């Protein structure tokens, strides 16, 4: 059901220009938007597509609005305004509804009347799907798992038994929540598996990227707080706890039992060792290794930037002969010290 | 079928305290254990939950047993004892049995009478599933692949044609065994694919973590030895060989044709270059790069730990000006040397 | 339909030895090749299997041909010749055909008569599958996605709505193309999702390895050029563009909006930061971090190789005390400078 452009202006504090009655039913990119869709402009590349757009309206800055004759919402931060409009208008990107005839829903699963289950999805006994939950094709929801209202599993997602997702979560394709943690004890030269008996408990508004993995806890649970955003191919080990609104970029690995604070930002390919405690508001730059706990907010790094291989090798050689460099320095100090002695 | 607590004490060499006839049918975490389940205590956090637990019995150290009145197995290493009990009691975490009506098993696949195949799983012609094999929902077992007795594919696992798993293996969700190796030859500026004709051959008691990938060999096979444990999101390239009882943490990448010895421990995010040979009993610390073969057992590293970004940048600046530092040193040496000359 | 050995010799410029009428229907490894299959020898390990092979013919160098009595194609580069023969002979490794009765193909999808769709695969409305397309078991092709002629999705592959693959592409198991990019704007301490409205557009002859992920663009598209080869567990973020014939090894992460040139080679576990521009013909060594744009072709690195942990720690200690080392140097310079003053 569309809303009017005037309603969007009022709701999101934008300055309206043009026809306030224009119906808006969705968002789209500038070059693909149709007559009931709203688009936005925030960089140079898209500015030039502006007057060719068929969008019903465009969200833009005042400076860009001058060069455009169509319906507009004028704001200081077009991308943020557009993101809010999108969240308001779009609850799902597909017209699916109900349970697909080729979905496999156990008779003892609880599925809300408004929930959607796609083709070839498997829902086990005791699983609970809340209102407006959207389980995409080929997903698996284990026995006793709970998926909160409004959450969406895009496709090929695996949620293990007893794991819990809050409301309005979004799991991208291939995500695995609730695989076993990597826990063994040595018995001679053999590794004996420690049963992984905990769950994964995920808060509200959490997004996890494609093919990322979150292991279930060994005894207690692995916990991901409200509003956490995790990118693709990230590993979250057993008993990790991640605080609210923390963002984690792609290819990060977080080892077992580590606690990460709130509002942290972890760059791509960062590694965080096990059993650490990271404070709130910590930022770790891409490819760094966090090897010990961090008690203070701030920015941390151990990343080295690439140079030409020739120059890089020279830098490494000089570093690796620091022992000799220090010895030369010591000899000089002795020489200079004996000069001084003599001069007295 | 439950066993008695006395039987467990006898079998695993524990000191029994309490009612030896207590029936035990499974393991659980202390705070979730029911009246036929055994739990364990090994750290402070769980000790305080001890007297509130409904567990039938608890495995713990003598020092912890003093503060507890219930049935107990007293041992020096509770986690190890518990892990052994779990392996003894639990052969599967689900009550599934037989072939799910929505599984797709080719008429020419050989499936043992005690094997289980879940919903939406696909078993191709010539595949062999041994006794007590458990193929979870949405798994794929390719033509001619062999899955040894007691092995379990948890769900969404892909085993390529002709690949072989030994007995009692455990493949976590999303594992891919037997994708093509990354092999091309240059033809002008084009890359021509080298057919990947080998297999993956995996021994007994191997566990592979969620979304990890093991490529098939180019001509000969990729081989993983008995008792190897591999964590999540690990890449094992074509023709790699991994020795028995080696453990590999998450996000590791092992490049083509490298051989890793027995009982090695590879830390998270380690990279190991191609065509190397790593000895037995080698330990590589997390995030290191192994760029050449390792002939001696021991611990190896090239990891750098994060500091505040400000301090880190200063360290890097001082390193990168070592050329000037060395020049200054050389000039000093010349000066001092000429002083010495003059003093003679 | 087999071809003759003589025909292969003629077509690929090899010197024929033996029976030219020998029928060849496929390729295989030396130790597995049957009577209508051709194998190759390029290294010592396989040379000794030569005379025990049942292969119909072998591709090898003149020097190896002397020790072999069977049918042979003699060339300078056996692996390249073999790869070309394989590409010529083998268009698919399975005898599947048509649409599996348990595939789920929407009535409004366009499927070419020669396309193959496997069990439990889901093809959404408006999807287009070209001639000879092979969609493996458990794959998903989203609404309006296009798969070019001759392309193959091996199994458990996820292609999101509206994404486009060119001709003769090969997607290994678990690949995710068209998950959402990682785009948010801050609203107080909350992250608001920026709708990811672009597509992924992939050229011809592109291969992507197991469990790799390619995100759709935010507004414009993520683009992968013709002939690009991507290994396993690689992350390609939104709006990245990769030039033709570039090869990317396993576990690489490429951050958003970065452009990579043609014919580049990116080593395993490399990280490339966002919004960069990398020139054509750039080679980045494994585990390096590319933190700024690269304008010139050549080889780049920031990788450090592992040593024994004891030696490594000493190197790090000497590096980290460079501040004191430089101070000692400065003091010496002052002393020497005052000696010089005095000597005047």
């Amino acid at each position: 059901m569309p809303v009017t452009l005037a309603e969007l202006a009022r709701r999101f504090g934008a300055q309206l220009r043009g026809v306030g009655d224009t119906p808006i039913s969705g968002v789209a990119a500038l070059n693909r938007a149709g007559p009931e869709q709203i688009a936005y402009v925030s960089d140079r590349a898209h500015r030039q597509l502006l007057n060719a757009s068929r969008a019903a309206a465009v969200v833009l800055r005042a400076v860009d609005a001058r060069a455009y004759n169509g319906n507009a919402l004028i704001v200081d931060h077009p991308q943020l305004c557009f993101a809010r409009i999108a969240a308001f208008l779009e609850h799902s990107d597909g017209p699916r509804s109900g349970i697909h005839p080729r979905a496999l829903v156990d008779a003892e699963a609880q599925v809300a009347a408004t929930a959607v289950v796609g083709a070839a999805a498997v829902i086990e006994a005791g699983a609970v799907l809340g209102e407006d939950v959207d389980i995409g094709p080929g997903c698996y929801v284990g026995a006793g798992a709970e998926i909160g209202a409004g959450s969406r599993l895009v496709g090929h997602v695996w949620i293990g038994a007893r794991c819990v997702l809050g409301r309005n979560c979004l799991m991208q394709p291939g995500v695995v929540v609730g695989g076993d943690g990597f826990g063994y004890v040595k018995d001679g030269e053999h590794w004996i598996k420690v049963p992984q008996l905990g769950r994964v408990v995920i808060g509200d508004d959490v997004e996890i990227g494609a093919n990322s993995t979150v292991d279930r806890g060994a005894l207690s649970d692995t916990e991901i707080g409200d509003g956490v955003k995790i990118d693709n191919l990230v590993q979250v080990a057993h008993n990790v706890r991640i605080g609210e609104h923390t963002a984690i970029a792609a290819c990060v690995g977080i080892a077992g039992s580590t606690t990460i604070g709130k509002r942290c930002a972890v760059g791509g390919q960062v590694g965080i060792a096990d059993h650490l405690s990271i404070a709130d508001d910590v930022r770790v730059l891409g490819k760094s290794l966090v090897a010990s706990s961090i008690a203070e907010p701030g920015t941390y790094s151990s990343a080295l930037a690439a140079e030409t291989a020739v120059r890089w090798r020279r830098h490494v050689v000089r570093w690796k002969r620091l022992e000799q460099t220090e010895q030369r320095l010591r000899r000089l100090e002795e020489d200079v010290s004996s000069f001084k002695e003599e001069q007295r």
Side-chain angles (χ1 to χ4, degrees), chain A:
Chain A
M1 202 182 58
V3 298
T4 64
L5 187 60
E7 163 72 9
L8 291 178
R10 191 189 58 72
R11 187 177 281 268
F12 297 103
Q15 183 193 335
L16 170 69
R17 204 192 59 193
V19 182
D21 287 345
T22 308
I24 305 291
S25 61
V27 301
L30 201 58
N31 58 341
R32 268 196 280 272
E36 279 206 0
Q37 290 177 310
I38 189 164
Y40 81 102
V41 165
S42 71
D43 66 9
R44 232 157 293 164
H46 291 97
R47 220 164 285 159
Q48 59 205 57
L49 302 169
L50 201 45
N51 280 301
S53 174
R54 293 169 53 241
V58 177
V59 186
L60 34 55
R61 288 194 195 82
V63 64
D64 291 324
R66 279 177 228 143
Y68 178 61
N69 305 314
N71 295 321
L73 295 185
I74 299 170
V75 296
D76 289 340
H77 193 336
Q79 195 185 36
L80 175 57
C81 179
F82 180 75
R84 285 168 169 164
I85 291 172
F88 173 68
L89 290 176
E90 312 235 313
H91 297 284
S92 157
D93 68 352
R96 295 200 302 282
S97 67
I99 296 177
H100 192 283
R102 294 278 186 91
L104 299 149
V105 180
D106 192 280
E108 291 175 46
Q110 293 179 41
V111 179
T114 54
V116 170
V117 182
V122 175
I123 313 294
E124 300 277 19
V128 179
L129 309 184
E131 295 293 331
D132 298 313
V133 160
D134 182 346
I135 307 292
C139 290
Y140 175 83
V141 179
E146 298 174 29
I147 313 294
S151 287
R152 180 176 175 217
L153 280 49
V154 174
H156 293 188
V157 170
W158 199 91
I159 307 291
R162 295 184 297 115
C163 293
V164 177
L165 270 69
R167 303 166 68 94
N168 299 316
C169 290
L170 179 56
M171 302 286 119
Q172 297 291 336
V175 163
V176 174
V177 169
D180 279 352
F182 196 64
Y184 306 90
V185 278
K186 269 227 149 149
D187 187 14
E189 68 176 7
H190 292 253
W191 293 105
I192 310 251
K193 184 176 178 72
V194 176
Q196 302 293 303
L197 304 166
R199 305 171 298 166
V200 178
V201 177
I202 294 178
D204 298 338
D205 301 309
V206 171
E207 180 165 352
I208 303 186
N211 284 349
S212 286
T213 60
V214 183
D215 282 350
R216 62 174 66 242
L219 287 176
S220 51
D221 299 326
T222 303
E223 296 173 13
I224 299 185
D226 292 346
V228 167
K229 309 298 179 186
I230 296 179
D231 200 350
N232 297 0
L233 293 171
V234 168
Q235 150 70 349
V236 179
H238 51 180
N239 300 107
V240 164
R241 288 184 294 166
I242 303 179
E244 295 166 22
H245 310 302
T246 282
I248 297 177
C251 307
V252 165
I254 306 173
S257 299
T258 279
T259 298
I260 297 178
K262 299 175 182 174
R263 299 174 302 275
C264 293
V266 181
Q269 293 187 330
V270 162
I272 306 186
D274 58 297
H275 291 87
L276 303 186
S277 173
I278 312 295
D280 295 342
D281 301 299
V282 164
R283 191 169 163 233
V284 183
L285 300 186
K287 223 178 177 82
S288 301
L289 167 64
V290 179
S292 52
S293 290
I294 296 180
E296 295 297 323
T299 303
Y300 295 80
S301 176
S302 67
L304 296 168
E307 305 172 79
T308 66
V310 169
R311 191 179 300 175
W312 177 255
R313 271 193 297 267
R314 283 189 198 139
H315 282 311
V316 173
V317 164
R318 286 190 196 103
W319 171 22
K320 297 301 179 68
R321 69 183 175 218
L322 267 176
E323 185 173 6
Q324 296 94 296
T325 304
E326 290 187 357
Q327 281 170 352
R328 289 164 61 189
L329 192 59
R330 211 167 307 124
R331 252 177 269 126
L332 278 176
E333 284 171 336
E334 287 163 10
D335 285 348
V336 168
S337 164
S338 54
F339 292 159
K340 284 185 174 174
E341 286 293 320
E342 287 165 22
Q343 289 185 333
R344 262 178 225 166

